[in-house]
Amino acid sequence: MSKSRGQWGSKVGFILAASGSAIGLGNIVFFSANAYKFGGGAFYLPYLIALFVIGIPVMILEFGLGHQTRRAFPESMHKAAGKPGEFVGWWALMNACFIVFYYITILGWVLGMLIGAFGQLWQETTPLKGFAMDELANPHGYFFSMLSSWKPMIFVAIVWILNAILVRRGVATIEAAVKVFVPLMWIFMIVLIVRGITLENGFQGVWLLFTPNFEVMKDAAVWQGAFSQIFFTLSLGFGVMTAYASYLPKDSDQTSNALLTSLMNCGFEYIAGLAIFSILFAFAMVPAASTLSMMFFIVPTGISQMPGGDPMVMAFGLLFFLLLLLAGLSSSVSLVEGLASSLIDKFRISRAKAVGLFCIFGFVGSAMFTLPQVVNPGLENDGTLGLTLLDLVDHWAFSYGLLIVGLLECLLIGWAFGAKRLRAGVNSSSRFNLGSWYDWLIKLIIPALILYVLIVGIKGEFAGLYGSDYGPNYKDGFSWMVNSPQFILVGWFVLTVGASLIFTLRGKYSEGSQ
Ligand code: TRP
């Protein structure tokens, strides 16, 4: 199999692809929404601790694994820790599938907003029934009338087709795309931050992100939020970084690659946070704790207030949504690639078949989250059935799934494969030598931290399962799905575990993988 594996054309290509995977919607909007939700400036300490204690070491692990085994995640975990390892590898990808399904739904909405930003978005005034409009609220109307129509299904299909095109020849096409996308993302972001902080009062927003509050740090939910955000934003626990690193030449330096990718990602995230907070501050707007309202009305509403008249509003609106689309695409392709290459290696199917099948399957998954039935006419939180489903799935796949993968991969690599062995391999081609402290981070400290937030989180679920308070009184169509929150939890669990078991037990790797 190894003969047919691709390789990055250059080190820059790899760094661009890895940072393209890392930099996504997570950096631009989820971070600001989470930071606000967990107390603004209070978030940056847990966040930075999570970055240095968990994020960078796990990134080294995922890169190191791919580089040493030269295989996508399930097979490399198989080589490192046998069948249990392989199962965890597939489970990571299956959980990430759930994430990519709704991630692409969100990208479909972004595409709709991008089209709207040419004009209609700024004019739309018809509020949806029951939704109180005020004069600042123009983008609400546009977003909700789109959301409660079938149009997003078409947008979602387009985004899946774009994904298929971008990975059709594996790393070669991905590399070509990220060489354009990633520099553009940085340019757009720099334009946004310069505009944000030079707005009158804009600079005040900067303080909001940096005023610490030690009280909230006592709350385990803040730590769960910070840990999940770090996994998500760095694309860890998705099984994608290992696949990307497997296409590197033997002598590449994984410690520097991990440091560079992580710091660029988090640098971008902070710049984005500052840009968004400064725009919100300048227009005296209250940031939203909900990611989607941040992305689809709060920021657009801020943009609609930009000085310079219609052309400026339109230009910044287009720039913002194009930025989201490019950032999101360069992330989603990493999963399509990570999963396709895993299927190709194990089941020896052609790339066209793997990518094609997955994209069709993915379209069906993403389409679920576009279901436009209005279940909550007030639309304060989750107006449509699709959006409600999205919120429930996100809760399990994002706040639990990624952390569970992180916990299991650290334990398996730390104890079954041997953290020392992994470190020796990483050190053999790195300028900077990791000391034995690294072994203890992987074997003990990171698993203990993750386990702690997971246990506290699960205890909270026993007190009241997430979603129990939705109680939509809507009875038609598919709304039974959200009438019982257990349904989503069990569905996510059974589907991910079932598919991973099938993939682990069927098929066989070629040439003595173990
Ligand atoms: N890191 C990305 C972000 O911050 C998220 C991401 C990475 C992702 N890989 C992915 C999402 C694959 C879905 C599928 O937005």
Side-chain angles (χ1 to χ4, degrees):
M1 282 279 129
S2 54
K3 284 164 267 111
S4 61
R5 287 184 75 79
Q7 206 174 69
W8 299 109
S10 63
K11 184 181 155 151
V12 178
F14 167 74
I15 292 291
L16 288 175
S19 65
S21 167
I23 299 175
L25 301 178
N27 301 60
I28 304 167
V29 277
F30 298 5
F31 170 73
S32 348
N34 276 336
Y36 181 74
K37 174 164 142 199
F38 295 121
F43 195 60
Y44 82 95
L45 278 179
Y47 177 88
L48 286 178
I49 293 172
L51 168 64
F52 286 102
V53 178
I54 301 181
I56 295 174
V58 175
M59 180 81 83
I60 296 176
L61 182 153
E62 292 201 0
F63 276 173
L65 198 62
H67 179 234
Q68 282 167 41
T69 60
R70 326 212 69 206
R71 289 293 181 272
F73 200 50
E75 192 176 356
S76 67
M77 286 292 285
H78 183 115
K79 287 190 166 200
K83 286 270 174 201
E86 186 185 341
F87 173 78
V88 171
W90 286 112
W91 195 73
L93 288 169
M94 294 304 111
N95 181 61
C97 280
F98 273 83
I99 296 183
V100 84
F101 292 168
Y102 69 74
Y103 199 80
I104 287 190
T105 309
I106 300 177
L107 288 178
W109 295 332
V110 167
L111 185 60
M113 295 296 272
L114 181 65
I115 296 169
F118 281 100
Q120 220 196 338
L121 173 62
W122 317 110
Q123 288 138 27
E124 185 77 50
T125 47
T126 32
L128 214 76
K129 204 171 90 222
F131 188 72
M133 290 272 290
D134 54 30
E135 43 175 336
L136 272 182
N138 285 351
H140 292 68
Y142 181 86
F143 180 65
F144 275 124
S145 42
M146 173 173 82
L147 203 67
S148 46
S149 75
W150 291 94
K151 267 190 258 162
M153 266 208 202
I154 299 168
F155 300 142
V156 158
I158 296 174
V159 179
W160 273 108
I161 292 171
L162 290 174
N163 273 281
I165 294 174
L166 291 174
V167 291
R168 74 185 185 285
R169 285 193 286 112
V171 286
T173 36
I174 294 178
E175 189 167 348
V178 292
K179 279 191 172 151
V180 181
F181 287 11
V182 177
L184 269 183
M185 278 147 54
W186 280 96
I187 295 172
F188 287 0
M189 200 66 242
I190 290 168
V191 173
L192 268 185
I193 176 110
V194 170
R195 177 68 279 202
I197 53 178
T198 52
L199 286 167
E200 212 181 318
N201 293 328
F203 203 75
Q204 305 282 327
V206 175
W207 305 129
L208 190 68
L209 260 193
F210 285 107
T211 315
N213 170 351
F214 297 101
E215 268 311 293
V216 298
M217 288 176 65
K218 294 185 193 138
D219 182 0
V222 173
W223 292 95
Q224 189 181 5
F227 291 1
S228 312
Q229 174 68 21
I230 278 294
F231 269 89
F232 185 80
T233 186
L234 293 176
S235 300
L236 300 173
F238 285 81
V240 304
M241 288 310 195
T242 298
Y244 269 12
S246 74
Y247 304 126
L248 276 170
K250 244 327 187 201
D251 58 352
S252 35
D253 179 340
Q254 296 317 316
T255 313
S256 325
N257 284 343
L259 270 173
L260 200 62
T261 309
S262 309
L263 295 178
M264 282 202 324
N265 174 75
C266 295
F268 193 100
E269 191 146 304
Y270 254 92
I271 297 180
L274 294 177
I276 289 186
F277 276 92
S278 59
I279 292 175
L280 300 182
F281 242 82
F283 303 117
M285 296 170 55
V286 181
S290 136
T291 337
L292 293 179
S293 38
M294 186 73 120
M295 168 164 31
F296 293 122
F297 357 114
I298 309 283
V299 175
T301 306
I303 290 175
S304 73
Q305 308 293 303
M306 288 277 185
D310 287 353
M312 272 298 150
V313 168
M314 193 189 289
F316 276 99
L318 290 173
L319 185 116
F320 178 68
F321 287 112
L322 194 58
L323 167 65
L324 288 177
L325 190 65
L326 295 181
L329 275 175
S330 58
S331 299
S332 63
V333 291
S334 66
L335 181 74
V336 180
E337 172 58 30
L339 184 65
S341 58
S342 306
L343 294 172
I344 295 167
D345 286 351
K346 183 146 195 193
F347 300 101
R348 289 179 219 135
I349 50 177
S350 70
R351 172 166 285 273
K353 197 165 168 190
V355 172
L357 274 178
F358 179 55
C359 289
I360 293 171
F361 201 71
F363 166 71
V364 176
S366 300
M368 297 277 291
F369 302 113
T370 65
L371 292 173
Q373 284 89 350
V374 174
V375 288
N376 174 359
L379 294 178
E380 293 91 26
N381 324 298
D382 301 291
T384 59
L385 179 57
L387 202 49
T388 312
L389 277 175
L390 190 156
D391 186 59
L392 292 170
V393 170
D394 171 70
H395 181 74
W396 301 110
F398 175 93
S399 309
Y400 287 91
L402 296 177
L403 292 182
I404 295 173
V405 174
L407 173 67
L408 297 176
E409 71 182 335
C410 286
L411 288 177
L412 285 168
I413 297 302
W415 298 94
F417 181 70
K420 198 166 167 192
R421 200 164 139 206
L422 178 93
R423 177 165 60 91
V426 170
N427 281 345
S428 70
S429 58
S430 296
R431 244 172 310 152
F432 175 74
N433 259 333
L434 300 169
S436 55
W437 52 267
Y438 180 79
D439 304 353
W440 292 106
L441 268 181
I442 297 296
K443 287 165 95 154
L444 221 61
I445 299 176
I446 299 175
L449 289 171
I450 296 181
L451 204 58
Y452 168 72
V453 297
L454 281 176
I455 290 174
V456 176
I458 292 170
K459 258 171 88 183
E461 303 290 342
F462 276 106
L465 191 64
Y466 188 79
S468 318
D469 51 351
Y470 277 145
N473 358 358
Y474 197 79
K475 297 275 179 291
D476 299 351
F478 295 103
S479 48
W480 49 272
M481 288 180 181
V482 292
N483 279 329
S484 73
Q486 292 86 340
F487 176 79
I488 301 293
L489 168 60
V490 172
W492 163 76
F493 190 78
V494 169
L495 286 177
T496 50
V497 170
S500 311
L501 273 177
I502 294 174
F503 287 147
T504 307
L505 298 174
R506 296 197 51 161
K508 209 167 166 27
Y509 288 117
S510 49
E511 43 171 286
S513 289
Q514 171 66 345

